[in-house]
Amino acid sequence: MSDAENTWSPDDMRDASDSSTDPHSSLDEAWQRVTHRMRKDIGEAAWRNWIKPLRVSRLEDGTLTLEASSTLARERVTSQYADRLRVISAAECGAVRKVEVRVVNGGAPRLSQQKPRTEAPTRTEADALGAGLDPRYTFANFVVGKPNELAFAVARRTAESTNVAFNPLFLYGGVGLGKTHLMHAIAWHIREQDPSRHVVYLSAEKFMYRFVQALRFRDTMSFKEQFRSVDVLMIDDVQFISGKDSTQEEFFHTFNALVEDGRQVIVSADKSPTDLEGLEERLRSRLGWGMVADIHPADYELRLGILQAKAERARIPVPDKVLEFLAHRISSNVRELEGALTRIAAHASLVGREITIDSAADLLSDLLRSSNRTISIDDIQKRVSAHYGVRVAEMFSARRARNIARPRQVAMYLAKTLTSLSYPEIGRQFGGRDHTTVMHAVRSIEGLIASDSGIAEDVQLLRSLLAN
Ligand code: ADP
Ligand code: MG
């Protein structure tokens, strides 16, 4: 499932009957939604006394007119609830700038065909709500370890709080480390706890798509209203709107409106707010105001934990030794771990034989090949020296003759791209060189790969030799 499809859309909340052509009936329905939300906001008793008896009369020129049955009721509503009513009505009914209450003595309620909205969303609505959410992405299915414990804890806290805990909650980390999983988990949890809370989950890409569509149909007003009426807004992979200025602008305003109104906003990205390039400064800084939690690449223990949990849940009998082998040899991307397990399971059920380390290695050779862990700096130095016909000792020597310096640079480049070692660590293993020397070497070779096909071929050949 692509993230772009994981849309939990505000549209899904709208009753199908909204398409009714009777303007009164749609105003009534909007009013039902307003009172429904007021009930949650101000509590049952106040709601029963002051809001429930109100009738909606009309919406004209931005003024929403309500009818009360006594002066006392009018005063009370005007002094205590008018602001809240205005904000919520603006979200539910469109351009409401003012709320007026008139007294109608003994006024019989206007007859209308609509049925009052029930407290919780109906079954159909609830199903539509969850349509884009992956049922497997729950807190219960999330394996917690050192690299993700902070992100997990704040996600849980956010999901459990009835008031706004951290605003915004900003989750970031590399590909396949569980950002989307945690966001869906929050949505599931909230939905379970309080189905009346209006949660919208969508990818930044989808957000932009909708916005562009609204621009095209000159309907930005209702676009805004849609988003501004949510209780919890989640935007996944916000880096997608980098460099897309008008979408950013719109997101910024939506974001501010929600935060100011005390709604929860949750955002994910592949980098921290400060490192997100192509994002307007004010948006970047705004995103960092709440809680920023990062997910680190999974370490060995977490990888093993995830593999064990998934194997168990899927009832795939994989020996511990094989799981340990996989945890060692497959990189930190959890999605790849899952892929490996699926493949092993499929194979095991086809051949009907127990899986061993050898058969796993065979089956997953392509995945293991791309893993950092299989290649040592030692291997690299030996292979590169042999390829260029220089002595291995030259890798550590101080000689700067070109026929020696170039192979050394290639080796440093391969060390950087094929292992997880840092620049300083690589420098140390090349005769105690400074990290800037390694950085320079990596950049030079990158440049040469682009401009010199001889070097490009050397590097490619060495790469494939090393990977086997
Ligand atoms: P991201 O959005 O960060 O790219 P995803 O949330 O899509 O990553 O995670 C990729 C896959 O790995 C998903 O199938 C997810 O369920 C799984 N996954 C990631 N982290 C964990 C974890 N800690 N426990 C269990 N499954 C995980
Ligand atoms: Mg994701």
Coordinates of all heavy atoms in Angstrom, one line a residue, residues 69-129:
S69 N -35.0 30.3 23.4 CA -36.4 30.5 23.9 C -36.6 31.5 25.0 O -37.7 31.7 25.5 CB -37.0 29.1 24.3 OG -36.1 28.6 25.3
S70 N -35.5 32.0 25.5 CA -35.6 33.0 26.6 C -34.4 34.0 26.5 O -33.4 33.7 25.9 CB -35.5 32.3 28.0 OG -34.2 31.8 28.2
T71 N -34.6 35.2 27.2 CA -33.5 36.1 27.2 C -32.3 35.6 28.0 O -31.2 35.8 27.6 CB -34.0 37.4 27.9 OG1 -35.4 37.6 27.5 CG2 -33.2 38.6 27.5
L72 N -32.7 34.9 29.1 CA -31.6 34.3 29.8 C -30.7 33.4 29.0 O -29.5 33.5 29.0 CB -32.2 33.5 31.0 CG -31.1 32.7 31.8 CD1 -30.3 33.7 32.6 CD2 -31.8 31.8 32.8
A73 N -31.4 32.6 28.2 CA -30.6 31.7 27.4 C -29.8 32.4 26.4 O -28.6 32.1 26.1 CB -31.6 30.7 26.6
R74 N -30.4 33.5 25.8 CA -29.6 34.3 24.8 C -28.4 34.9 25.4 O -27.3 34.8 24.9 CB -30.5 35.4 24.2 CG -29.8 36.1 23.1 CD -30.4 37.3 22.6 NE -30.5 38.3 23.6 CZ -31.3 39.4 23.6 NH1 -32.1 39.6 22.6 NH2 -31.3 40.3 24.5
E75 N -28.5 35.5 26.6 CA -27.4 36.1 27.3 C -26.3 35.1 27.6 O -25.1 35.4 27.3 CB -27.8 36.8 28.7 CG -29.1 37.6 28.6 CD -28.8 39.0 28.1 OE1 -28.7 39.2 26.9 OE2 -28.6 39.9 29.0
R76 N -26.7 34.0 28.1 CA -25.8 33.0 28.5 C -25.0 32.5 27.3 O -23.8 32.4 27.3 CB -26.6 31.9 29.2 CG -25.7 30.9 29.9 CD -24.8 31.5 30.9 NE -24.1 30.5 31.6 CZ -24.4 30.0 32.8 NH1 -25.5 30.5 33.5 NH2 -23.7 29.1 33.4
V77 N -25.7 32.2 26.2 CA -25.0 31.7 25.0 C -24.1 32.7 24.5 O -23.0 32.4 24.1 CB -26.1 31.2 24.0 CG1 -25.4 30.9 22.7 CG2 -26.8 30.0 24.5
T78 N -24.6 34.0 24.4 CA -23.8 35.0 23.8 C -22.5 35.3 24.6 O -21.4 35.4 24.1 CB -24.6 36.3 23.7 OG1 -25.9 36.0 23.2 CG2 -23.9 37.4 22.8
S79 N -22.7 35.3 25.9 CA -21.5 35.6 26.8 C -20.5 34.5 26.9 O -19.3 34.7 26.9 CB -21.9 36.1 28.1 OG -22.5 35.0 28.8
Q80 N -21.1 33.3 26.9 CA -20.1 32.2 27.2 C -19.8 31.3 26.0 O -18.7 30.7 26.0 CB -20.7 31.3 28.3 CG -20.6 31.9 29.6 CD -20.7 30.9 30.7 OE1 -20.8 29.7 30.5 NE2 -20.7 31.4 32.0
Y81 N -20.7 31.1 25.1 CA -20.4 30.1 24.1 C -20.3 30.6 22.6 O -20.0 29.9 21.7 CB -21.5 29.0 24.1 CG -21.6 28.4 25.5 CD1 -22.7 28.5 26.3 CD2 -20.5 27.7 26.0 CE1 -22.8 28.0 27.5 CE2 -20.6 27.1 27.3 CZ -21.7 27.3 28.1 OH -21.8 26.7 29.3
A82 N -20.5 31.9 22.5 CA -20.6 32.5 21.1 C -19.3 32.3 20.3 O -19.3 31.9 19.2 CB -21.0 33.9 21.1
D83 N -18.2 32.5 21.0 CA -16.9 32.4 20.4 C -16.6 30.9 19.9 O -16.2 30.7 18.7 CB -15.7 32.8 21.3 CG -15.4 34.2 21.2 OD1 -16.0 34.9 20.2 OD2 -14.7 34.8 22.0
R84 N -16.8 30.1 20.8 CA -16.6 28.6 20.5 C -17.6 28.2 19.3 O -17.2 27.5 18.4 CB -16.9 27.8 21.8 CG -16.7 26.4 21.7 CD -15.3 26.1 22.4 NE -14.7 24.9 21.7 CZ -13.6 24.9 21.2 NH1 -12.8 25.9 21.1 NH2 -13.1 23.8 20.6
L85 N -18.8 28.7 19.4 CA -19.8 28.3 18.4 C -19.3 28.9 17.0 O -19.5 28.2 16.0 CB -21.2 28.9 18.7 CG -22.0 28.1 19.7 CD1 -23.2 28.9 20.2 CD2 -22.5 26.8 19.1
R86 N -18.8 30.1 17.1 CA -18.4 30.7 15.8 C -17.2 29.9 15.2 O -17.3 29.5 14.0 CB -17.9 32.1 16.1 CG -17.5 32.9 14.8 CD -17.0 34.3 15.1 NE -16.0 34.3 16.1 CZ -14.7 33.9 16.0 NH1 -14.3 33.5 14.8 NH2 -13.8 34.0 17.0
V87 N -16.3 29.5 16.0 CA -15.1 28.7 15.4 C -15.6 27.4 14.9 O -15.3 27.0 13.8 CB -14.1 28.5 16.6 CG1 -13.0 27.6 16.1 CG2 -13.5 29.8 17.0
I88 N -16.4 26.7 15.7 CA -16.9 25.4 15.2 C -17.8 25.5 14.0 O -17.7 24.8 13.0 CB -17.6 24.6 16.3 CG1 -16.5 24.3 17.4 CG2 -18.1 23.3 15.8 CD1 -17.1 23.6 18.6
S89 N -18.7 26.5 14.0 CA -19.6 26.7 12.9 C -18.8 27.0 11.6 O -19.1 26.6 10.5 CB -20.6 27.8 13.1 OG -21.2 27.6 14.4
A90 N -17.7 27.8 11.8 CA -16.9 28.2 10.6 C -16.4 26.9 10.0 O -16.3 26.8 8.8 CB -15.8 29.2 11.0
A91 N -16.0 26.0 10.9 CA -15.4 24.8 10.4 C -16.5 23.9 9.7 O -16.3 23.2 8.7 CB -14.8 24.0 11.5
E92 N -17.7 23.8 10.3 CA -18.7 22.9 9.9 C -19.6 23.5 8.8 O -20.1 22.7 8.0 CB -19.6 22.4 11.0 CG -18.8 21.6 12.1 CD -18.4 20.2 11.6 OE1 -18.8 19.8 10.4 OE2 -17.6 19.5 12.3
C93 N -19.9 24.8 8.8 CA -20.9 25.3 7.9 C -20.3 26.2 6.9 O -21.0 26.8 6.0 CB -22.0 26.1 8.6 SG -22.5 25.5 10.2
G94 N -19.0 26.5 6.9 CA -18.4 27.4 6.0 C -18.4 28.8 6.6 O -18.7 29.0 7.7
A95 N -18.0 29.8 5.7 CA -17.8 31.2 6.2 C -18.7 31.8 7.3 O -19.6 32.6 7.0 CB -17.8 32.1 5.0
V96 N -18.5 31.4 8.5 CA -19.2 32.0 9.6 C -18.3 33.0 10.3 O -17.3 32.6 10.8 CB -19.8 31.0 10.6 CG1 -20.5 31.7 11.8 CG2 -20.7 30.0 9.9
R97 N -18.7 34.3 10.3 CA -17.8 35.3 11.0 C -18.4 35.7 12.3 O -17.8 36.3 13.2 CB -17.6 36.5 10.1 CG -16.5 36.2 9.0 CD -16.3 37.4 8.2 NE -17.5 37.9 7.5 CZ -17.9 37.4 6.4 NH1 -17.3 36.5 5.8 NH2 -19.0 37.9 5.8
K98 N -19.8 35.5 12.4 CA -20.5 36.0 13.6 C -21.6 35.1 13.9 O -22.2 34.5 13.1 CB -21.0 37.4 13.2 CG -21.4 38.3 14.3 CD -21.7 39.7 13.8 CE -22.7 40.3 14.7 NZ -23.4 41.4 14.0
V99 N -21.9 35.0 15.2 CA -23.0 34.2 15.7 C -24.0 35.1 16.4 O -23.6 35.8 17.3 CB -22.6 33.0 16.6 CG1 -23.8 32.3 17.2 CG2 -21.7 32.0 15.8
E100 N -25.2 35.1 16.0 CA -26.2 35.9 16.6 C -27.3 35.0 17.2 O -27.7 34.0 16.6 CB -26.9 36.9 15.6 CG -26.3 38.3 15.7 CD -26.9 39.2 14.7 OE1 -28.1 38.9 14.2 OE2 -26.3 40.2 14.3
V101 N -27.8 35.5 18.4 CA -28.9 34.7 19.0 C -30.1 35.6 19.2 O -30.0 36.7 19.8 CB -28.4 34.1 20.4 CG1 -29.5 33.2 21.0 CG2 -27.1 33.4 20.3
R102 N -31.2 35.2 18.7 CA -32.5 36.0 18.9 C -33.4 35.1 19.8 O -33.3 33.9 19.8 CB -33.2 36.4 17.7 CG -32.6 36.1 16.4 CD -33.6 36.5 15.3 NE -34.2 35.3 14.8 CZ -35.3 35.3 14.0 NH1 -35.9 36.4 13.7 NH2 -35.8 34.2 13.5
V103 N -34.3 35.9 20.4 CA -35.2 35.2 21.3 C -36.5 35.0 20.5 O -37.1 35.9 19.9 CB -35.5 36.0 22.6 CG1 -36.5 35.3 23.5 CG2 -34.2 36.3 23.3
V104 N -37.0 33.8 20.5 CA -38.2 33.5 19.8 C -39.1 32.9 20.9 O -38.9 31.7 21.3 CB -38.0 32.5 18.7 CG1 -39.4 32.2 18.0 CG2 -37.0 33.0 17.7
N105 N -40.1 33.6 21.3 CA -41.0 33.1 22.4 C -41.9 32.1 21.9 O -42.7 32.3 21.0 CB -41.8 34.3 23.0 CG -40.8 35.0 24.0 OD1 -40.0 34.4 24.6 ND2 -41.0 36.3 24.0
G106 N -41.9 30.9 22.6 CA -42.8 29.9 22.3 C -42.6 29.4 20.8 O -43.5 28.7 20.3
G107 N -41.6 29.8 20.2 CA -41.4 29.4 18.8 C -41.4 27.9 18.6 O -40.5 27.2 19.3
A108 N -42.3 27.3 17.9 CA -42.2 25.9 17.7 C -41.0 25.6 16.8 O -40.7 26.3 15.9 CB -43.5 25.4 17.0
P109 N -40.4 24.5 17.1 CA -39.2 24.2 16.3 C -39.6 24.0 14.8 O -40.7 23.4 14.5 CB -38.7 22.9 16.9 CG -39.7 22.4 17.8 CD -40.6 23.5 18.1
R110 N -38.8 24.5 13.9 CA -39.1 24.4 12.5 C -39.0 22.9 12.2 O -38.2 22.1 12.6 CB -38.0 25.1 11.7 CG -38.3 25.3 10.3 CD -37.3 26.3 9.7 NE -36.0 26.0 10.1 CZ -35.3 25.0 9.6 NH1 -35.8 24.2 8.7 NH2 -34.0 24.8 10.0
L111 N -40.0 22.5 11.4 CA -40.1 21.1 11.0 C -39.0 20.8 10.0 O -38.7 21.6 9.1 CB -41.4 20.8 10.4 CG -42.5 20.7 11.4 CD1 -43.9 20.5 10.6 CD2 -42.3 19.5 12.3
S112 N -38.3 19.7 10.2 CA -37.4 19.4 9.2 C -37.3 17.8 9.1 O -37.6 17.2 10.1 CB -36.0 20.0 9.4 OG -35.2 19.1 10.1
Q113 N -36.9 17.4 8.0 CA -36.9 16.0 7.7 C -35.7 15.2 8.3 O -35.7 14.1 8.6 CB -36.9 15.7 6.2 CG -37.9 16.5 5.5 CD -38.9 15.6 4.9 OE1 -38.6 14.8 4.0 NE2 -40.1 15.6 5.4
Q114 N -34.7 16.0 8.6 CA -33.4 15.3 9.0 C -33.5 14.7 10.3 O -34.2 15.1 11.2 CB -32.3 16.4 9.1 CG -32.8 17.5 9.9 CD -31.9 17.8 11.0 OE1 -30.9 18.5 10.8 NE2 -32.2 17.5 12.2
K115 N -32.8 13.6 10.4 CA -32.7 12.9 11.7 C -31.5 13.5 12.4 O -30.5 13.8 11.8 CB -32.4 11.4 11.4 CG -33.7 10.7 11.0 CD -33.5 9.2 11.1 CE -33.1 8.5 9.9 NZ -32.4 8.5 8.9
P116 N -31.7 13.7 13.7 CA -30.5 14.2 14.4 C -29.4 13.2 14.3 O -29.6 12.0 14.3 CB -31.0 14.3 15.9 CG -32.3 13.6 15.9 CD -32.8 13.4 14.6
R117 N -28.2 13.8 14.3 CA -27.0 12.9 14.2 C -26.8 12.1 15.5 O -27.0 12.7 16.6 CB -25.8 13.8 14.0 CG -24.6 13.0 13.5 CD -23.5 14.0 13.4 NE -22.2 13.3 13.3 CZ -21.6 13.0 12.2 NH1 -22.1 13.3 11.1 NH2 -20.5 12.3 12.3
T118 N -26.5 10.9 15.4 CA -26.3 10.1 16.6 C -25.0 10.5 17.2 O -24.1 11.1 16.6 CB -26.3 8.6 16.3 OG1 -25.5 8.4 15.2 CG2 -27.7 8.1 16.0
E119 N -24.8 10.1 18.5 CA -23.6 10.5 19.2 C -22.3 10.1 18.5 O -21.4 10.8 18.2 CB -23.6 10.0 20.6 CG -24.2 11.0 21.5 CD -24.5 10.4 22.9 OE1 -23.5 10.1 23.5 OE2 -25.7 10.2 23.2
A120 N -22.2 8.8 18.4 CA -21.0 8.2 17.7 C -21.2 8.1 16.2 O -22.4 8.1 15.8 CB -20.6 6.9 18.3
P121 N -20.1 8.1 15.4 CA -20.4 8.0 14.0 C -21.0 6.6 13.8 O -20.8 5.7 14.5 CB -18.9 7.9 13.4 CG -18.1 8.5 14.5 CD -18.7 8.3 15.8
T122 N -21.8 6.6 12.7 CA -22.5 5.3 12.4 C -21.5 4.3 12.0 O -20.4 4.6 11.7 CB -23.5 5.5 11.3 OG1 -22.8 5.9 10.2 CG2 -24.5 6.6 11.7
R123 N -21.9 3.1 11.9 CA -21.0 2.0 11.5 C -20.3 2.3 10.2 O -19.1 2.1 10.0 CB -21.9 0.7 11.4 CG -21.2 -0.6 11.4 CD -20.5 -0.9 12.6 NE -19.1 -1.1 12.3 CZ -18.1 -0.8 13.1 NH1 -18.3 -0.3 14.3 NH2 -16.9 -1.0 12.7
T124 N -21.1 2.7 9.2 CA -20.6 2.9 7.9 C -19.5 4.0 7.9 O -18.5 3.9 7.2 CB -21.7 3.4 6.9 OG1 -23.0 3.0 7.4 CG2 -21.5 3.0 5.5
E125 N -19.8 5.0 8.6 CA -18.8 6.1 8.7 C -17.5 5.6 9.3 O -16.5 5.9 8.9 CB -19.3 7.3 9.5 CG -20.3 8.2 8.8 CD -20.9 9.2 9.7 OE1 -21.0 8.9 10.9 OE2 -21.3 10.2 9.2
A126 N -17.7 4.8 10.4 CA -16.5 4.3 11.1 C -15.7 3.5 10.1 O -14.5 3.6 10.1 CB -16.9 3.5 12.3
D127 N -16.3 2.7 9.3 CA -15.6 1.9 8.4 C -14.9 2.7 7.3 O -13.7 2.5 7.0 CB -16.5 0.9 7.6 CG -17.0 -0.2 8.5 OD1 -16.3 -0.4 9.6 OD2 -17.9 -0.9 8.2
A128 N -15.5 3.8 6.9 CA -14.9 4.6 5.9 C -13.7 5.3 6.5 O -12.7 5.5 5.9 CB -15.9 5.7 5.4
L129 N -13.8 5.6 7.8 CA -12.7 6.3 8.5 C -11.5 5.5 8.5 O -10.4 6.1 8.4 CB -13.1 6.5 10.0 CG -14.0 7.7 10.3 CD1 -14.3 7.7 11.8 CD2 -13.2 9.0 10.0

